[in-house]
């Protein structure tokens, strides 16, 4: 599908948003991830989706549900396979060093003003999937001000890796899907391919307008509390009603 995506990007076709969704749905099906969506996805365009981050697998999981691009750390661009795929999905690659902050804020804001939906992993790194690390409020600088004369819509979301058929699973199970610390990409992916089926639950929480928050720090804290609460609910198997849909080709 790569040649078709490249042509769609060069010609500026709307197909360039739909091809990655189909690709990610097939990818998730092939590696055994059943993606379950709970809640209502924001229909505002653009929307900045803000969530926790467990693994590179979060990309195909969210990509199977949303026509989005991702805000990714700069080194992802050089990753085998995934770096190429990230570029074809028009990811925004940012340096984590402070001296690049203003430049990358402007790049992200430009993409939002162009109407692109973006995903921000606000922890700034991945973790073991059992908790949500504190959000970095500096990453929310792009949400300050208006986009196209309107307040930016921000929608928090929680990503939880569960056992087969959505059954609760222990921490050791979740850590096999998480990619963090000293993990190496290719061996990790090879291991994941041998794990069998698992369910990934995505909870879309109510969207908020930036103007309703007193500050960037307040927005960061609010999103953290909502995302952490959603992850705890998913891992605690409390549930919130029937799943609204599942990704699949």
């Amino acid at each position: 599908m790569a040649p078709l995506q490249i042509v769609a990007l060069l010609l500026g076709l709307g197909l360039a948003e739909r091809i990655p969704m189909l690709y990610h749905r097939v990818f998730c099906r092939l590696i055994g991830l059943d993606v379950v969506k709970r809640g209502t996805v924001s229909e505002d365009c653009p929307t900045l989706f803000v969530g926790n981050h467990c693994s590179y697998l979060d990309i195909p999981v969210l990509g199977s549900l949303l026509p989005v691009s991702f805000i990714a750390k700069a080194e992802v661009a050089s990753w085998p396979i995934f770096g190429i795929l990230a570029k074809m999905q028009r990811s925004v690659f940012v340096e984590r060093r402070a001296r690049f902050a203003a430049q990358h804020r402007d790049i992200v804001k430009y993409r939002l003003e162009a109407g692109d939906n973006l995903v921000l992993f606000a922890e700034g790194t991945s973790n073991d999937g059992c908790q949500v690390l504190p959000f970095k409020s500096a990453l929310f600088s792009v949400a300050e001000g208006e986009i196209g004369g309107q307040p930016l819509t921000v929608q928090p979301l929680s990503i939880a890796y569960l056992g087969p058929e959505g059954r609760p699973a222990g921490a050791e199970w979740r850590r096999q899907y998480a990619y963090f610390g000293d993990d190496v990409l290719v061996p990790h992916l090879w291991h994941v391919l041998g794990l069998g089926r698992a369910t990934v639950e995505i909870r879309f929480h109510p969207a908020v307008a930036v103007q309703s928050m007193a500050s960037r720090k307040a927005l960061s804290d609010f999103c953290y509390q909502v995302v952490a609460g959603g992850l705890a609910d998913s891992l605690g198997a409390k549930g919130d009603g029937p799943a609204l849909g599942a990704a699949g080709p």
Side-chain angles (χ1 to χ4, degrees), residues 108-132:
V108 173
K109 185 161 288 190
Y110 172 80
R111 290 287 299 277
L112 291 168
E113 289 176 343
D116 293 337
N117 297 322
L118 299 177
V119 173
L120 171 66
F121 296 119
E123 296 159 295
T125 187
S126 56
N127 67 76
D128 64 3
C130 302
Q131 60 185 321
V132 180

Side-chain angles (χ1 to χ4, degrees), residues 2-20 67 69 88-90 116:
L4 184 58
Q5 175 69 356
I6 292 171
V7 171
L9 287 170
L10 291 174
L11 298 180
L13 302 178
L15 195 63
E17 289 186 346
R18 296 192 293 274
I19 290 174
S69 296
M88 287 196 290
Q89 196 158 350
R90 303 175 63 230
D116 293 337

Side-chain angles (χ1 to χ4, degrees), residues 33 41 94 99 101 125 137 148 156 163 165 192-193 197 228:
L33 294 179
V41 177
V94 299
R99 64 192 180 96
T125 187
S137 61
E165 300 179 2
V192 168
L193 291 173
R197 305 206 68 80

Side-chain angles (χ1 to χ4, degrees), residues 33 55 57 161 173-179 188 192 195-196 198:
L33 294 179
S55 171
L57 296 171
Y161 287 78
W173 171 275
R174 292 192 292 276
R175 290 192 179 104
Q176 294 188 81
Y177 289 91
Y179 181 79
H188 185 274
V192 168
L195 292 178

Side-chain angles (χ1 to χ4, degrees), residues 14-31:
L15 195 63
E17 289 186 346
R18 296 192 293 274
I19 290 174
M21 291 184 69
L22 176 59
Y23 169 83
H24 290 310
R25 289 177 180 181
V26 173
F27 179 88
C28 288
R29 179 65 61 85
L30 289 175
I31 67 172

Side-chain angles (χ1 to χ4, degrees), residues 55-236:
S55 171
Y56 55 86
L57 296 171
D58 300 343
I59 306 299
V61 165
L62 290 175
S64 71
L65 299 175
L66 303 169
V68 293
S69 296
F70 294 86
I71 301 172
K73 58 186 180 182
E75 51 262 43
V76 172
S78 63
W79 284 8
I81 302 176
F82 286 96
I84 297 173
L85 295 175
K87 292 173 184 176
M88 287 196 290
Q89 196 158 350
R90 303 175 63 230
S91 295
V92 182
F93 300 105
V94 299
E95 290 277 359
R96 287 180 287 187
R97 287 174 287 182
R99 64 192 180 96
F100 291 100
Q103 174 187 349
H104 292 135
R105 181 191 63 227
D106 293 342
I107 293 172
V108 173
K109 185 161 288 190
Y110 172 80
R111 290 287 299 277
L112 291 168
E113 289 176 343
D116 293 337
N117 297 322
L118 299 177
V119 173
L120 171 66
F121 296 119
E123 296 159 295
T125 187
S126 56
N127 67 76
D128 64 3
C130 302
Q131 60 185 321
V132 180
L133 302 178
F135 283 0
K136 299 182 182 299
S137 61
L139 296 175
F140 287 82
S141 62
V142 66
E144 295 177 319
E146 295 184 337
I147 301 296
Q150 299 292 330
L152 176 64
T153 297
V154 176
Q155 182 165 31
L157 60 86
S158 304
I159 305 172
Y161 287 78
L162 308 176
E165 300 179 2
R167 295 193 299 270
E172 287 305 315
W173 171 275
R174 292 192 292 276
R175 290 192 179 104
Q176 294 188 81
Y177 289 91
Y179 181 79
F180 68 108
D182 296 327
D183 286 341
V184 180
L185 180 60
V186 174
H188 185 274
L189 177 58
W190 183 252
H191 177 72
V192 168
L193 291 173
L195 292 178
R197 305 206 68 80
T199 298
V200 187
E201 183 175 277
I202 310 298
R203 292 189 176 220
F204 290 92
H205 306 288
V208 297
V210 171
Q211 67 178 6
S212 66
M213 297 292 163
S215 65
R216 179 178 71 191
K217 180 67 164 54
L219 175 62
S220 174
D221 290 344
F222 171 81
C223 289
Y224 170 79
Q225 294 296 334
V226 172
V227 171
L231 178 64
D233 281 349
S234 293
L235 298 185

